Amino acid sequence: MQYKVLKNIPEQEKIQDEITSELWPEFMLHDPVSNANWPKLFELFPEFQISLMADDEVIGIANCIPYYWNKSFEKLPDKGWDWVFGKGINDKLNNIRANTLNGLQIAVSKKHQGKGISSLVLKEMISLARDNGFKYVTTPVRPILKSEYPLTSIDSYIKWRREDGLPFDPWLRVHVRLGGKIIKPCHKSMYITGTVNEWEEWTNMKFFETGRYVIRGALKPVKINIEKNRGEYTEPNVWVLHEVNT
């Protein structure tokens, strides 16, 4: 496929929002860390936000943030996505020179899914790291089929393999095929909370009792507490590491 990579362009945030708004479950749009910091990606790190365009339309996007890490990648925090987003911004504001690129999101336009675009975007993310002198790319990966197995722990899920030895999960499989190494789960990658009424609006469900509920699109059950008028969702992801060939 012939495509071009766009970065650091006017209205990049708006262009990308049009892609992602139709992809994510509603509750995923209410992560407080993301909502507080997303515009800063385009203010502080415009060169690390890319869009792939083919035939005059955006087919896939990637959002990245550089940060500094000087420990073993095995020691990456359990908080995952929320942590690395904050870490990258704090490093930038405190003039700490980054040495690692983190992929926050890869998304493919709905009409172009199933065409191998995600692999192209991931390749461009790795190339972006190489062009900027980063030796490593980390990503708290959201396994694409985990929501179909919400009662299975993320620790067990990432061990599932096909007969060819590759991961069962298609998105993890893309990473592994491109040289990615599965490091470990990050069990508290994102934390989303809201009132019971908000969760009912986000999920189009009714909650009459306190308990754990399977929600469409969630990777694990959501905890609903009627007495405290609170719903909580802690999303597990998977730390994946790519070593960049320079």
Side-chain angles (χ1 to χ4, degrees):
M1 172 181 288
Q2 296 294 318
Y3 65 88
K4 58 183 178 180
V5 179
L6 308 178
K7 56 184 176 180
N8 202 10
I9 61 173
E11 298 192 335
Q12 176 95 303
E13 183 178 3
K14 180 181 178 181
I15 293 170
Q16 295 194 350
D17 282 349
E18 292 175 356
I19 297 289
T20 58
S21 61
E22 62 179 4
L23 297 178
W24 297 110
E26 177 63 29
F27 69 87
M28 290 292 291
L29 304 179
H30 297 276
D31 172 56
V33 173
S34 176
N35 290 346
N37 295 299
W38 198 256
K40 296 177 184 177
L41 278 182
F42 301 88
E43 297 167 7
L44 300 175
F45 312 99
E47 69 274 29
F48 295 107
Q49 319 314 314
I50 61 176
S51 300
L52 270 62
M53 177 169 282
D55 298 324
D56 296 321
E57 65 176 322
V58 175
I59 60 174
I61 65 172
N63 301 107
C64 308
I65 191 166
Y67 70 107
Y68 178 73
W69 187 252
N70 63 349
K71 302 177 184 177
S72 165
F73 288 104
E74 298 285 345
K75 294 183 178 181
L76 283 167
D78 210 28
K79 289 186 177 180
W81 200 95
D82 284 350
W83 169 82
V84 75
F85 204 160
K87 179 75 163 63
I89 290 174
N90 287 335
D91 287 352
K92 178 73 171 182
L93 296 179
N94 288 285
N95 296 314
I96 298 174
R97 186 174 181 178
N99 60 2
T100 304
L101 187 65
N102 185 83
L104 289 172
Q105 172 180 238
I106 285 179
V108 176
S109 170
K110 229 173 188 179
K111 66 181 288 188
H112 291 286
Q113 291 184 355
K115 301 178 182 179
I117 306 299
S118 61
S119 181
L120 296 179
V121 181
L122 180 56
K123 287 178 182 178
E124 292 298 336
M125 179 186 289
I126 295 170
S127 293
L128 183 65
R130 181 183 300 110
D131 293 345
N132 284 275
F134 295 122
K135 188 177 179 180
Y136 298 101
V137 175
T138 58
T139 307
V141 173
R142 188 177 204 263
I144 195 169
L145 291 186
K146 177 65 175 70
S147 61
E148 297 185 14
Y149 304 89
L151 302 182
T152 300
S153 73
I154 191 72
D155 302 77
S156 295
Y157 182 80
I158 64 173
K159 295 177 183 177
W160 293 359
R161 293 290 185 272
R162 305 192 312 178
E163 291 183 358
D164 60 5
L166 290 171
F168 163 77
D169 188 84
W171 191 209
L172 288 175
R173 201 158 59 239
V174 169
H175 279 272
V176 170
R177 279 175 169 159
L178 290 179
K181 177 185 177 182
I182 296 174
I183 300 298
K184 63 177 183 178
C186 38
H187 300 90
K188 302 175 182 178
S189 193
M190 299 178 76
Y191 177 71
I192 299 170
T193 185
T195 64
V196 173
N197 183 63
E198 286 174 330
W199 275 100
E200 289 180 340
E201 292 178 354
W202 298 342
T203 62
N204 197 28
M205 294 173 64
K206 294 294 291 184
F207 304 108
F208 295 99
E209 300 177 357
T210 293
R212 298 167 72 247
Y213 289 83
V214 172
I215 304 297
R216 182 174 298 171
L219 307 193
K220 61 182 288 188
V222 173
K223 296 179 180 178
I224 298 293
N225 190 309
I226 299 298
E227 292 74 25
K228 294 183 179 180
N229 189 29
R230 184 61 44 187
E232 295 179 295
Y233 173 65
T234 305
E235 169 151 307
N237 288 162
V238 183
W239 279 117
V240 174
L241 174 69
H242 291 267
E243 186 166 356
V244 180
N245 294 320
T246 55

